[in-house]
Amino acid sequence: MSVLRPLDKLPSLNTATILLVGTEDALLQQLVDSMLKEDCTSELKVHLAKSLPLPSSVNPPRIDLIVFVVNLHSKYSLQNTEESLHHVDASFFLGKVCFLATGAGRESHCSIHQHTVVKLVHTYQSPLLYCDLEVPCSWVPTSLSLLTWLAQGLSEWPGSQASAALTDG
Amino acid sequence: MDSYDASESTPRQSTSLRPEDYFIGATFLQKRLESVRKQTSFIPTPPRRKIPHCSQLQEDVDPQKVAFLLHKQWTLYSLTPLYKFSYSNLKEYSRLLNAFIVAEKQKGLAVEVGEDFNVKVIFSTVLGIKGTQRDPEAFLVQGLTLSPRLECSGTILVYCNLLGLSDPSTLAFQVAGTTDTCHYTRILSKSQLPSENREGKVLWTGWFCCIFGDSLLETVSEDFTCLPLFLANGAESNTAIIGTWFQKTFDCYFSPLAINAFNLSWMAAMWTACKMDHYVATTEFLWSVPCSPQSLDISYAIHPEDAKAIWDSVHKTPGEVTQEEVDLFMDCLYSHFHRHFKIHLSATRLVRVSTSVASAHTDGKIKILCHKYLIGVLAHLTELAIFQIE
């Protein structure tokens, strides 16, 4: 199947899964490491993908939050994100998608204007978080924000046990 | 467009926007977008700009001065409005700045080994480099060298008078065997004594200008002169000293103007769109690939007529350039490159753009090659400078 749907799979016990979609491998790896270091009483799984659709050989569990990472220094990452968005079902956008824009701090390196990203985010009615993944001290607050959004997204879907556990952690 | 203006009000802007002001485009829009985003969740509209018309220079422009401004590498700075600056006091300013430079050099703070410390500064206005009648006149500051021999000749004449000899050339024969004075007089006798009013070599040039700076002019009171764009050519230390003097005297602030990749791609599109009779240089782009351990540079050169052909196929609205057209133009170049080399140029950073009209580097360096589009290029740069100030 080429389109990700939120309710395709059964939820797993005490587990929450985040899918990070972005072209910047090295930066995302650092962010993922800092997210996994955070204290959670339930299990957190993070998947990394360069783009959607996911290859057919991969069979991910039920995804609770998709984070699209756009690097403001590279037009390629924006184009990649726009193409990946087509492969996500519309019901995902009810609180299970958020956008992460990195690199806004270094204005001289920006290839994309900020309002291009804002327009995209507005079209998809999802939250946008600005960060600078190249700066190590921003990894912890960014990962905390993503986990908060994950918990919020999960709590909107009744019957998930993971959300209560995540908010405690 | 007009409906957006009615919905929000920015307290600083007292006058309303007229349709012909829209070619200033991005500055107004960007400012409005910042305020709009804070107040409501409005979808921002992409900027549009007008293609610069050729020969917008006014009739009273001195062609020699304009030629002097072309074909030189300028470093860009943005400058906040100058307080109580007056065009009639230029001689006074020259005198004060000369005194300041002498004092700074004597302090020993800006020492460059081997450099001639005798610099004289001249202020002059450059008429005609403006967009509308409201724009203040551009003015030029030049640092000229004073010839070192002027000083030597003064002392040697004194020697001649003391010894009671009127003809310096005879001194060489009569005092042969004494020390250095002999050598000085010999040099003098061979060549002509330089006159006091001789123009020295231009060491450093800086000029201030403002093209279509209406958005800034409207918000600032009468005491201030708005010349947001400053271009400097010459040694960095001189720029720093002269900048410090201006900052102290007129309570303004210089900041280096960097041009990001987004604006460089706009410049590339707008300069390719300019109609030229003949092309003096190829259209060249330079990208920097951000990869470790060492950075890689990709240089892409296109024949200017081919670039113009691509632009003509992309360009829809006459007289205006839109964001979509710029993106499409750059995407054409990227996809062509990808087809041959399988490298995504959109993942790299555009560092330098060079066309027959002008060339710009992301560090804020610019070289203008074509006098026809001088005003157009400066208008774009003024817009960027104003945006940085605001």
Side-chain angles (χ1 to χ4, degrees):
Chain A
M1 50 149 191
S2 62
V3 177
L4 277 175
R5 277 176 240 276
L7 298 172
D8 258 353
K9 305 215 166 114
L10 289 171
S12 31
L13 209 59
N14 267 347
T15 317
T17 313
I18 299 183
L19 174 65
L20 286 168
V21 180
T23 51
E24 313 290 317
D25 287 339
L27 295 175
L28 288 181
Q29 191 61 51
Q30 308 279 12
L31 180 65
V32 166
D33 291 338
S34 105
M35 275 167 80
L36 293 173
K37 281 195 203 127
E38 293 299 320
D39 244 350
C40 293
T41 47
S42 70
E43 208 181 308
L44 177 69
K45 283 192 183 156
V46 184
H47 288 262
L48 279 177
K50 265 223 155 93
S51 66
L52 296 175
L54 296 172
S56 45
S57 58
V58 173
N59 200 12
R62 172 173 158 144
I63 293 171
D64 298 307
L65 179 70
I66 305 181
V67 182
F68 288 99
V69 182
V70 178
N71 187 356
L72 290 176
H73 298 180
S74 144
K75 269 172 113 165
Y76 177 60
S77 79
L78 180 68
Q79 284 168 347
N80 185 52
T81 306
E82 284 170 348
E83 278 156 33
S84 306
L85 280 165
H86 296 313
H87 296 278
V88 176
D89 187 49
S91 49
F92 246 114
F93 293 100
L94 299 169
K96 289 192 162 212
V97 168
C98 85
F99 290 85
L100 194 66
T102 175
R106 288 211 285 181
E107 179 65 34
S108 58
H109 286 229
C110 284
S111 306
I112 313 170
H113 205 282
Q114 283 185 23
H115 54 67
T116 317
V117 178
V118 170
K119 188 177 163 190
L120 179 73
V121 164
H122 189 89
T123 319
Y124 287 97
Q125 299 278 334
S126 295
L128 171 64
L129 178 65
Y130 284 101
C131 67
D132 200 349
L133 288 178
E134 288 169 31
V135 174
C137 56
S138 74
W139 295 331
V140 170
T142 311
S143 44
L144 283 174
S145 307
L146 289 176
L147 288 173
T148 316
W149 268 324
L150 172 66
Q152 231 171 19
L154 286 170
S155 62
E156 284 165 16
W157 297 78
S160 59
Q161 294 173 310
S163 70
L166 271 171
T167 45
D168 292 339
Chain B
M1 276 288 196
D2 288 323
S3 60
Y4 296 167
D5 292 321
S7 62
E8 20 95 6
S9 56
T10 333
R12 276 165 47 180
Q13 295 256 338
S14 48
T15 58
S16 59
L17 275 181
R18 299 184 303 276
E20 50 266 31
D21 288 348
Y22 275 95
F23 62 74
I24 304 170
T27 318
F28 280 114
L29 272 165
Q30 278 158 353
K31 221 170 27 170
R32 262 141 179 62
L33 288 171
E34 296 310 307
S35 66
V36 162
R37 242 187 289 149
K38 286 173 207 152
Q39 293 163 19
T40 58
S41 56
F42 227 48
I43 301 173
T45 50
R48 321 180 133 239
R49 281 193 177 98
K50 248 207 177 136
I51 297 175
H53 296 300
C54 64
S55 42
Q56 269 179 324
L57 286 174
Q58 305 188 357
E59 271 66 43
D60 52 350
V61 166
D62 183 9
Q64 208 185 20
K65 276 241 165 97
V66 170
F68 174 72
L69 300 172
L70 301 176
H71 298 282
K72 271 203 176 71
Q73 169 120 316
W74 301 101
T75 311
L76 296 169
Y77 294 86
S78 69
L79 178 62
T80 57
L82 302 163
Y83 184 62
K84 287 212 174 16
F85 176 82
S86 154
Y87 287 96
S88 46
N89 290 351
L90 292 183
K91 282 216 163 53
E92 177 69 18
Y93 298 146
S94 307
R95 203 177 54 79
L96 290 170
L97 185 51
N98 277 323
F100 183 78
I101 289 176
V102 165
E104 285 289 321
K105 301 271 189 185
Q106 279 181 351
K107 264 197 246 175
L109 289 172
V111 176
E112 274 185 35
V113 179
E115 194 181 273
D116 194 349
F117 282 3
N118 302 314
V119 175
K120 192 172 82 136
V121 171
I122 300 179
F123 279 58
S124 54
T125 48
V126 186
L127 295 169
I129 307 243
K130 47 159 64 169
T132 61
Q133 284 305 114
R134 274 185 72 176
D135 288 334
E137 287 289 348
F139 72 94
L140 188 68
V141 177
Q142 278 175 297
L144 305 166
T145 52
L146 290 171
S147 165
R149 291 214 252 135
L150 273 169
E151 301 196 337
C152 290
S153 70
T155 30
I156 286 158
L157 279 172
V158 167
Y159 270 107
C160 290
N161 288 333
L162 281 174
L163 290 167
L165 293 162
S166 53
D167 186 7
S169 55
T170 57
L171 188 61
F173 298 90
Q174 291 184 8
V175 294
T178 53
T179 55
D180 298 344
T181 18
C182 173
H183 291 292
Y184 282 154
T185 50
R186 261 213 239 137
I187 292 166
L188 266 180
S189 64
K190 277 188 192 159
S191 60
Q192 282 173 337
L193 280 174
S195 62
E196 286 288 334
N197 293 330
R198 195 182 80 165
E199 286 278 300
K201 196 175 71 151
V202 176
L203 259 191
W204 185 92
T205 317
W207 53 298
F208 299 74
C209 69
C210 173
I211 316 281
F212 297 122
D214 288 343
S215 64
L216 196 60
L217 289 166
E218 278 162 14
T219 58
V220 142
S221 71
E222 287 298 317
D223 291 333
F224 288 90
T225 313
C226 287
L227 289 159
L229 190 62
F230 173 61
L231 300 96
N233 171 287
E236 229 358 87
S237 55
N238 288 333
T239 314
I241 294 176
I242 293 174
T244 318
W245 182 79
F246 268 94
Q247 282 173 172
K248 275 200 202 147
T249 320
F250 301 111
D251 195 25
C252 57
Y253 183 68
F254 284 86
S255 56
L257 184 67
I259 311 174
N260 64 23
F262 176 75
N263 288 319
L264 277 176
S265 58
W266 261 94
M267 284 179 185
M270 287 180 67
W271 296 344
T272 314
C274 295
K275 248 195 282 270
M276 301 273 291
D277 299 326
H278 68 278
Y279 294 98
V280 298
T282 53
T283 305
E284 215 178 288
F285 297 83
L286 188 71
W287 278 275
S288 159
V289 182
C291 63
S292 55
Q294 79 222 39
S295 66
L296 189 67
D297 282 339
I298 299 175
S299 164
Y300 186 161
I302 320 166
H303 194 280
E305 279 166 24
D306 292 336
K308 186 80 170 67
I310 298 175
W311 174 256
D312 288 335
S313 64
V314 159
H315 187 50
K316 298 284 177 313
T317 47
E320 251 191 0
V321 179
T322 62
Q323 179 71 53
E324 286 91 24
E325 285 168 8
V326 174
D327 288 338
L328 201 52
F329 176 68
M330 297 307 287
D331 283 340
C332 290
L333 302 175
Y334 293 154
S335 56
H336 182 78
F337 194 84
H338 179 70
R339 207 168 64 198
H340 288 280
F341 299 103
K342 298 285 177 264
I343 294 177
H344 287 281
L345 279 175
S346 48
T348 61
R349 185 168 72 104
L350 184 56
V351 158
R352 190 167 176 269
V353 166
S354 163
T355 62
S356 297
V357 172
S359 84
H361 190 280
T362 191
D363 289 338
K365 300 204 187 333
I366 188 140
K367 194 192 273 200
I368 306 174
L369 302 169
C370 175
H371 72 277
K372 265 185 0 179
Y373 295 105
L374 176 67
I375 296 289
V377 172
L378 291 175
H380 194 153
L381 294 171
T382 312
E383 204 184 304
L384 294 179
I386 292 176
F387 185 63
Q388 191 178 27
I389 295 171
E390 291 170 354

